[in-house]
Amino acid sequence: MLKFKNKFKFGLSEKSPNSSSNSSPASSHKDTTPEKSPEPRKTLTSDLSDNISKLTLGDSEAGASATASPDVPHGQIHGTENVPTMETSNSNDSANPHTPSSPGLLTVKIYTSNNIQLPIKINNSKQILHALAINSNNETIGQQLLKNLETLNNAEGDNHPLVGDLLPGTIASNFLPSIITIPNAENLVKSLLYLTIEFDNNVLVIEPQKGTVNRSTWNQVVSFDVTKKSQETTNGGDNETGSSFLNLNLFIRLPNMLIPDSEKVTKKHLFTNSGSQPQSPGKSNASANSGSAPANIGDLLIGTIKLPLNLKYHSQPIRLMNHEYLKFSNYNANLQDLISTEMGEIMLTIEFKPITKKHLAITDFDLLKVIGKGSFGKVMQVVKKDTKQIYALKTLRKQHIVSRMEVTHTLAERTVLARINNPFIVPLKFSFQSPEKLYLVLSFINGGELFWHLQREGKFSMDRSRFYIAELLTALESLHDLNVIYRDLKPENILLDYQGHIALCDFGLCKLNMSNDDKTNTFCGTPEYLAPELLLNQGYTRSVDWWTLGTLLYEMLTGLPPFYDDDVPTMYKKILQDPLRFPSFLDHTDAQDLLIKLLQKDPANRLDDANEIKSHPFFKDIDWVKLLNKSYLPPFKPNVENLLDTSNFDQDFTSEKPQDSVVDDFLTESVQKQFGGWTYNGDNVL
Ligand SMILES: Nc1ncnc2c1ncn2[C@@H]1O[C@H](COP(=O)(O)OP(=O)(O)OP(=O)(O)O)[C@@H](O)[C@H]1O
């Protein structure tokens, strides 16, 4: 079980470069090679305690924080903090024929699947196939399977496809039920086949009702909340049509004894546990990439459908697809990208229904589990009562925000989340408030923090690191395109989704309205990741994000940040003065060259443009459009059963009773006004 520790933001005085105290969160291996702490690293904020105010002279944010006392009027906060003009009102919507329609509900009905083939050969084990057939959850299907098995038993001749140790994937699906009743287990039904349906980073899992793997009856209906943002063009969508995608992935849980060892090795990328073997710290990743077959191979991905959906301009209920068959494609074995081998088809109806605007409240949600603690409140797994969608609900207590002078950062988080549209940033679905609290409703991302995966495995392979850095690079690029600096990139703020894609979260340190060369001064971030110019308090630009990207890549590849030291002041000194050194095992020329160019101490010499970084030889094999369309199969798939699965969260949290604690804070009207622009109901109006 992974252990999650509470993370708290704390005042800058604790970790200023001028501080002589050794308050490193890391463990104390002072005389030996430094060893990173297993605890999440804390974020420094600009709380402006006395001794740090020296470091933050002249910064507009600092002023904002300092003035954000309970009685400060609304205007002062806006004026000092550069709070953006939140979202622009859509009062002109009716005049613009291209204005997207209202938010709504997307309903997908799944009827039948046909001609499904397996992408691997299976063992020709008549005993197991027979056992599966007689345990089919439907008698008629069981009979049919037994009949099919007779043809298998009767097949003769050396060249007959049904003779031999292995059955070709093209026909194997005729001998497998899609759902079985487990004998002696009180009629427990277990489906072999299942389908994940993803829209806007929310994923639902459905199972068939009956059938063979080749042909199944599903008759299932699922719904997704559609916000205006998910209707807009994302850079992960098709720019011409302004679409977002509905992603369908068809999986099969194959009994291990049916999977030949040779297929476990050559088609490893198609199994959900591919590459997920933990690695001990400091050990080379060679074994994870070697040909050896993992013991627990997981489920097999049969095929994928990526369906662009243009949900713009529909102000009336509409049926976008009516009982249509869509074909599954498969992932290419070598390149691990999507190719159009047809793996069978599935019949769907897709409907979109705009909904009338309504403010949400906590009573619109059932609280399922506590999954984390943030600086100002809990994060809970919740289900939205009307659509049955699972979300992460982040609660923030207004009183705490105000007393810790974090109003501006909190508003910035909400603003950035509502504006940004990148497939690797956790999507904000809604936000609302009560007199005492602020609430953010986010897509529930349950593959665990990258921090914990890195802790567990010590370091990542070159390919895996490249994949994460590439996805993060596009996330930072889209933030910069919105004139936002992220400022707190680190493994603790990166979640993995159920497939293993990146979802950047925690936007509490974003700085808005920062165009290309604009400088800011606020001393904030996380010690290990602070850029030299930030430490020197000379003002910094968005270039600090590229420094942190370099730091992150270095940490992924080696297990430690580049200038790490147990003692924080020494670490700051190293960041400022020490040359960049590589451990002997990090001998990849392109990786070294990119790190050298990102970890330039003088920002003027640093790579400073997303496109320039993208065209570095380190990324030469990456097709950026494909990457943004999530068409690469992630090199690591977290263990996630379904959307309800919270096993990647700390049990200390998940065992807690989920409740929205009652607080009786009183906030003055002027303080309440500061939170005026918070509410976001999936529409653009704030
Ligand atoms: N969308 C999400 N899906 C799943 N888990 C999430 C999500 N958002 C946050 N969490 C969990 O809740 C924890 C706290 O969330 P978050 O980091 O956003 O809070 P915070 O107050 O900003 O934290 P910090 O004090 O580090 O700044 C995260 O570490 C993560 O484990």
Side-chain angles (χ1 to χ4, degrees):
M1 178 62 229
L2 303 174
K3 273 280 159 208
F4 280 63
K5 298 265 175 8
N6 282 3
K7 296 189 293 177
F8 295 102
K9 294 188 180 192
F10 57 92
L12 190 56
S13 54
E14 289 180 60
K15 294 281 172 57
S16 79
N18 296 351
S19 160
S20 57
S21 68
N22 176 10
S23 53
S24 166
S27 58
S28 53
H29 287 255
K30 293 200 183 70
D31 303 325
T32 55
T33 314
E35 205 170 274
K36 198 177 57 178
S37 158
E39 292 189 27
R41 288 155 294 201
K42 297 171 182 176
T43 299
L44 305 172
T45 67
S46 56
D47 282 7
L48 292 190
S49 50
D50 283 349
N51 61 350
I52 205 57
S53 55
K54 292 181 220 114
L55 289 165
T56 56
L57 286 176
D59 184 63
S60 58
E61 274 180 290
S65 298
T67 53
S69 68
D71 289 317
V72 170
H74 188 46
Q76 269 178 279
I77 294 295
H78 274 227
T80 52
E81 171 64 341
N82 283 345
V83 167
T85 38
M86 299 278 222
E87 306 300 290
T88 44
S89 158
N90 69 350
S91 54
N92 292 328
D93 276 6
S94 55
N96 180 355
H98 294 296
T99 303
S101 65
S102 18
L105 194 68
L106 183 73
T107 303
V108 184
K109 299 178 184 170
I110 315 283
Y111 305 104
T112 49
S113 52
N114 269 331
N115 299 323
I116 301 299
Q117 307 179 5
L118 299 189
I120 62 164
K121 294 180 186 129
I122 64 167
N123 288 327
N124 190 352
S125 169
K126 297 185 182 68
Q127 215 180 350
I128 295 173
L129 293 174
H130 186 265
L132 289 171
I134 58 174
N135 287 309
S136 162
N137 74 326
N138 178 285
E139 213 182 308
T140 321
I141 300 293
Q143 295 298 332
Q144 184 194 324
L145 282 166
L146 290 174
K147 239 170 145 183
N148 293 353
L149 280 172
E150 273 174 35
T151 59
L152 196 58
N153 291 332
N154 297 336
E156 280 178 11
D158 286 351
N159 295 328
H160 196 290
L162 302 185
V163 173
D165 292 342
L166 301 178
L167 286 178
T170 43
I171 44 178
S173 56
N174 292 306
F175 305 106
L176 292 162
S178 58
I179 179 159
I180 56 171
T181 307
I182 299 189
N184 309 324
E186 292 179 352
N187 291 336
L188 182 73
V189 170
K190 174 110 179 152
S191 83
L192 300 188
L193 214 54
Y194 67 95
L195 184 73
T196 62
I197 310 179
E198 182 201 336
F199 178 75
D200 203 19
N201 270 35
N202 272 67
V203 59
L204 296 171
V205 181
I206 61 162
E207 297 179 343
Q209 290 184 343
K210 61 174 185 187
T212 63
V213 168
N214 183 276
R215 183 186 169 84
S216 283
T217 306
W218 297 73
N219 290 343
Q220 306 278 4
V221 183
V222 294
S223 298
F224 295 92
D225 290 302
V226 178
T227 61
K228 268 202 166 178
K229 210 153 53 107
S230 42
Q231 292 169 311
E232 286 163 11
T233 306
T234 71
N235 53 5
D238 176 330
N239 282 329
E240 299 247 304
T241 59
S243 313
S244 32
F245 286 96
L246 188 73
N247 292 326
L248 294 95
N249 285 316
L250 184 66
F251 290 93
I252 182 166
R253 301 180 177 108
L254 269 182
N256 209 17
M257 287 161 81
L258 284 180
I259 311 172
D261 281 346
S262 54
E263 295 288 62
K264 285 182 188 169
V265 173
T266 54
K267 305 276 176 66
K268 196 163 77 174
H269 65 286
L270 293 178
F271 290 93
T272 54
N273 268 1
S274 60
S276 64
Q277 309 98 304
Q279 232 188 296
S280 47
K283 213 169 140 195
S284 135
N285 199 35
S287 64
N289 288 331
S290 74
S292 62
N296 175 14
I297 188 91
D299 305 336
L300 172 70
L301 175 62
I302 295 178
T304 292
I305 294 170
K306 290 185 70 71
L307 181 68
L309 283 186
N310 192 339
L311 300 175
K312 276 183 167 184
Y313 321 128
H314 300 304
S315 50
Q316 298 295 320
I318 179 164
R319 190 165 265 212
L320 298 158
M321 199 163 270
N322 190 3
H323 291 82
E324 275 181 45
Y325 273 108
L326 298 178
K327 292 189 189 326
F328 286 102
S329 303
N330 194 10
Y331 278 97
N332 175 295
N334 299 321
L335 300 170
Q336 302 195 7
D337 52 1
L338 214 50
I339 50 163
S340 55
T341 325
E342 286 171 17
M343 305 305 297
E345 56 190 11
I346 194 155
M347 192 206 275
L348 309 174
T349 287
I350 301 177
E351 292 163 342
F352 175 70
K353 194 168 129 212
I355 46 166
T356 35
K357 228 161 57 181
K358 165 178 169 284
H359 288 304
L360 289 171
I362 189 73
T363 47
D364 290 311
F365 298 86
D366 283 325
L367 312 180
L368 302 180
K369 292 266 175 66
V370 179
I371 49 171
K373 293 257 163 83
S375 311
F376 305 111
K378 277 182 286 204
V379 183
M380 288 180 281
Q381 181 201 37
V382 298
V383 58
K384 189 158 168 270
K385 289 177 185 168
D386 58 352
T387 56
K388 303 278 177 260
Q389 286 270 286
I390 310 270
Y391 290 116
L393 179 76
K394 183 167 169 177
T395 58
L396 304 108
R397 201 163 149 190
K398 288 180 183 174
Q399 183 67 70
H400 287 175
I401 297 169
V402 171
S403 60
R404 278 148 74 178
M405 298 180 287
E406 286 291 335
V407 175
T408 33
H409 284 153
T410 308
L411 291 179
E413 173 166 22
R414 161 26 216 98
T415 302
V416 172
L417 282 169
R419 279 185 178 178
I420 197 84
N421 219 351
N422 176 280
F424 310 116
I425 290 181
V426 61
L428 174 76
K429 301 301 282 193
F430 312 99
S431 54
F432 55 93
Q433 59 177 305
S434 71
E436 297 84 19
K437 290 184 190 172
L438 303 173
Y439 300 88
L440 290 169
V441 184
L442 302 153
S443 291
F444 176 55
I445 311 289
N446 60 352
E449 286 179 15
L450 196 72
F451 175 79
W452 293 106
H453 292 290
L454 191 53
Q455 283 288 324
R456 200 185 61 167
E457 301 186 35
K459 55 187 190 279
F460 295 150
S461 68
M462 191 62 70
D463 285 348
R464 187 166 166 191
S465 306
R466 184 183 358 252
F467 177 80
Y468 293 147
I469 291 291
E471 293 196 339
L472 284 163
L473 167 51
T474 72
L476 291 175
E477 181 185 25
S478 53
L479 285 166
H480 291 181
D481 285 349
L482 278 185
N483 290 339
V484 172
I485 318 185
Y486 181 68
R487 298 198 288 199
D488 202 16
L489 191 68
K490 57 177 171 177
E492 289 86 333
N493 286 340
I494 299 163
L495 297 171
L496 290 187
D497 73 11
Y498 75 106
Q499 288 181 305
H501 288 288
I502 291 291
L504 188 60
C505 72
D506 197 351
F507 288 74
L509 277 199
C510 278
K511 174 77 179 168
L512 296 93
N513 293 340
M514 293 289 294
S515 53
N516 239 340
D517 297 320
D518 286 352
K519 280 197 172 177
T520 185
N521 286 293
T522 312
F523 186 83
C524 62
T526 298
E528 287 85 337
Y529 278 71
L530 294 177
E533 64 270 30
L534 209 149
L535 287 171
L536 290 170
N537 194 31
Q538 292 170 345
Y540 58 90
T541 66
R542 51 173 74 179
S543 174
V544 291
D545 282 343
W546 301 129
W547 171 275
T548 55
L549 191 74
T551 306
L552 182 65
L553 175 59
Y554 191 100
E555 182 169 349
M556 285 185 192
L557 291 172
T558 68
L560 278 177
F563 303 100
Y564 186 72
D565 197 282
D566 292 342
D567 178 63
V568 172
T570 310
M571 183 164 67
Y572 289 155
K573 216 170 127 200
K574 286 183 174 179
I575 292 175
L576 290 171
Q577 295 172 359
D578 278 13
L580 182 64
R581 293 190 184 95
F582 300 106
S584 54
F585 62 83
L586 180 49
D587 53 2
H588 189 285
T589 324
D590 291 338
Q592 281 197 5
D593 187 68
L594 178 63
L595 285 166
I596 290 168
K597 288 178 171 151
L598 289 174
L599 293 171
Q600 284 294 321
K601 297 191 193 295
D602 181 352
N605 299 332
R606 198 175 298 154
L607 275 183
D608 193 23
D609 174 74
N611 281 325
E612 233 180 295
I613 304 173
K614 281 174 167 176
S615 40
H616 187 277
F618 182 65
F619 298 116
K620 63 178 178 295
D621 292 330
I622 291 192
D623 175 334
W624 294 96
V625 174
K626 219 177 246 178
L627 183 102
L628 279 167
N629 285 340
K630 287 188 164 177
S631 292
Y632 285 116
L633 195 63
F636 164 83
K637 160 99 170 63
N639 278 326
V640 177
E641 267 285 302
N642 54 41
L643 200 58
L644 287 171
D645 189 348
T646 54
S647 59
N648 285 314
F649 296 89
D650 186 359
Q651 256 180 351
D652 289 351
F653 295 140
T654 52
S655 57
E656 221 177 89
K657 186 166 183 257
Q659 58 186 9
D660 188 40
S661 52
V662 179
V663 289
D664 61 354
D665 301 333
F666 175 76
L667 291 105
T668 62
E669 206 179 312
S670 60
V671 173
Q672 290 289 10
K673 263 192 185 168
Q674 294 176 22
F675 299 108
W678 183 263
T679 303
Y680 170 74
N681 66 352
D683 207 330
N684 275 358
V685 184
L686 291 171

